[in-house]
Amino acid sequence: MDRTTLTLTRAAALARSAWGGALLLDGRTMLSAFGDRPTKSSLIVARVLGARQVAQGAITAVTSSPRVLVAGAVVDVLHATTAVGLALAARRWRSVALTDAAVAATLAGTGWWLAIRAHRRS
């Protein structure tokens, strides 16, 4: 992986970890900002998802390879898909689920782009 791609990958991993950290440490504010009235269960879900984002960001930063980027992107696509399903199935969660889906889709797209860039430049 060339130096620029590695820098971009680590910046994306840092952004992911920051997002996850915000969900993990202040889920109530994050959920409220996206239209949810936080409940005990929604705070638990936010914290679990936040922990996953922090872990994925750390793994990506430490093990920056096209394979890791693709695996992360696949996880993000699955995450976005389930969030859209939740938005369709439960009106109460629609706003926060669609926001979550948009973030997951953005992270997936970034991961795919970085994986392709890393593969082409190796």
Side-chain angles (χ1 to χ4, degrees):
M1 182 177 299
D2 68 289
R3 187 176 180 96
T4 302
T5 305
L6 182 59
T7 300
L8 291 169
T9 299
R10 289 186 174 154
L14 180 62
R16 173 189 297 278
S17 293
W19 170 254
L23 289 170
L24 188 59
L25 299 174
D26 196 9
R28 183 175 305 282
T29 299
M30 296 298 289
L31 290 171
S32 295
F34 297 109
D36 184 32
R37 292 182 321 273
T39 63
K40 194 174 209 172
S41 59
S42 68
L43 287 171
I44 290 169
V45 170
R47 289 182 181 127
V48 168
L49 292 175
R52 182 196 62 91
Q53 295 292 3
V54 169
Q56 189 172 337
I59 291 166
T60 301
V62 172
T63 316
S64 301
S65 72
R67 186 172 296 205
V68 168
L69 291 165
V70 168
V74 168
V75 170
D76 291 329
V77 167
L78 293 171
H79 182 138
T81 302
T82 59
V84 168
L86 177 61
L88 293 171
R91 183 176 174 88
R92 183 214 188 289
W93 300 106
R94 189 159 296 149
S95 176
V96 73
L98 289 175
T99 300
D100 190 44
V103 170
T106 300
L107 292 170
T110 302
W112 285 115
W113 176 74
L114 287 167
I116 291 167
R117 181 183 167 98
H119 179 73
R120 287 184 179 163
R121 293 173 189 255
S122 61

